[in-house]
Amino acid sequence: EMSVSGGASLTFGDYGADTTNNAWSSGDGLTFSATGETDGGLTITSTLVLDNGVNDDQTLSIGTDGMGTVKFSALGGSSALGAVDDVMPTAYEEPWFGVTSPTKVDGKAAAGLFTYTSPSVGGATITATYQQADTTNLLNSQTAWAVAFSPEAVDGLTVGYAVQEDDSAATVVDDMTMYVKYVYGSITAGYQKSEGDSTTDSADVETEGYGISYAISDEMSISYGSHTAETPNNSSDKDQEASAISASYVAGGMTIKGTMKSADNIDHTTTATADREEWSLEASFAF
């Protein structure tokens, strides 16, 4: 038997210079899932996600409490670094969200991806991913790993580190990110720094981000976040800077979220369309 859950959303977003992107949009999704346990103690979970009628995500997980979990993503997989490429607290989306091809250090989303997640040992959890090379999309196999540590002696603190070797194309990129987050009562604050080291020096990227959120009540939260990206080996590039103020409100099965953003020097240029003021509003429903 498969259980089914779903939701729907309606969004209006104004993303600045590209008027074709200033439009209403809607989203819907259905998640089919089943979980069972074998006589040998293995927990098996199968999921299938349909988004706008298209198979968007498909996974099979096998795990035990003592040994961790292995997941195979036939569709919709994300590397270990991809799961933590931006974990700063926010009431809605990241500061760079809505920017066409923003400069950032991120993980790889891929089909045919294996993920291992360890059990927590003294507050530390390790995640590792592997994708085998093929003759069509991936020139070489790629790996990534991440560790998150929440020390039991310091309630609310999480520190994390992740690395990824992306040699899926002719240009090899070694990505790294590190972050720290701290929860104190209704306030969550975080700082994250990432680097992308390419075999082409001018393509090296360094990013820095921080965020702070405040839960006004159980229903309403607000946040502020900032993200800066620079290409340190290309003196002609300008730093790409983005910031956002966001808010969310939950009422039963309905969630309303909104954000106002500014993005400067998009794609590291100073052209007329490189600076934008953006905003978006979304209402989503769970059923």
Side-chain angles (χ1 to χ4, degrees):
E1 294 182 356
M2 304 287 287
S3 63
V4 184
S5 61
S9 65
L10 181 65
T11 305
F12 184 84
D14 185 330
Y15 299 114
D18 294 335
T19 55
T20 55
N21 289 336
N22 302 345
W24 292 92
S25 62
S26 66
D28 59 78
L30 292 174
T31 300
F32 296 80
S33 61
T35 300
E37 186 172 331
T38 67
D39 293 339
L42 295 176
T43 300
I44 313 298
T45 302
S46 177
T47 64
L48 174 68
V49 178
L50 299 180
D51 190 7
N52 288 324
V54 177
N55 188 357
D56 186 60
D57 187 280
Q58 185 176 334
T59 65
L60 173 65
S61 300
I62 304 172
T64 67
D65 291 338
M67 299 297 293
T69 301
V70 175
K71 179 174 71 174
F72 176 71
S73 300
L75 291 172
S78 178
S79 71
L81 189 144
V84 296
D85 56 11
D86 193 328
V87 294
M88 294 298 91
T90 178
Y92 194 8
E93 298 284 3
E94 300 89 344
W96 44 260
F97 183 80
V99 176
T100 303
S101 301
T103 299
K104 56 190 180 72
V105 176
D106 56 5
K108 290 296 180 180
L113 186 76
F114 282 95
T115 302
Y116 169 73
T117 304
S118 75
S120 178
V121 179
T125 302
I126 297 174
T127 304
T129 53
Y130 170 77
Q131 186 185 17
Q132 183 179 357
D134 59 47
T135 58
T136 304
N137 302 310
L138 194 64
L139 298 180
N140 300 286
S141 300
Q142 63 179 19
T143 59
W145 67 270
V147 59
F149 179 51
S150 299
E152 299 172 355
V154 185
D155 188 33
L157 176 66
T158 301
V159 294
Y161 177 80
V163 293
Q164 172 180 274
E165 183 179 1
D166 180 15
D167 53 358
S168 56
T171 301
V172 178
V173 180
D174 292 323
D175 294 323
M176 177 279 298
T177 189
M178 60 180 69
Y179 62 90
V180 57
K181 288 200 301 182
Y182 183 65
V183 180
Y184 181 77
S186 300
I187 299 175
T188 302
Y191 174 81
Q192 185 161 7
K193 187 172 181 61
S194 306
E195 295 181 0
D197 186 12
S198 172
T199 50
T200 303
D201 287 344
S202 60
D204 288 353
V205 175
E206 295 180 0
T207 67
E208 186 177 46
Y210 65 87
I212 183 169
S213 65
Y214 175 61
I216 300 173
S217 65
D218 291 340
E219 294 80 20
M220 187 171 186
S221 297
I222 58 175
S223 68
Y224 175 80
S226 174
H227 183 270
T228 301
E230 63 174 317
T231 53
N233 297 324
N234 193 333
S235 59
S236 63
D237 281 358
K238 301 296 184 181
D239 291 355
Q240 177 185 278
E241 300 174 334
S243 60
I245 299 174
S246 304
S248 65
Y249 179 75
V250 180
M254 180 178 67
T255 301
I256 299 175
K257 298 181 179 180
T259 185
M260 296 181 64
K261 310 175 186 179
S262 66
D264 298 331
N265 304 326
I266 297 172
D267 200 26
H268 305 284
T269 67
T270 57
T271 61
T273 59
D275 296 345
R276 300 183 190 175
E277 300 292 329
E278 310 170 357
W279 65 271
S280 60
L281 184 66
E282 175 186 297
S284 60
F285 311 89
F287 53 84

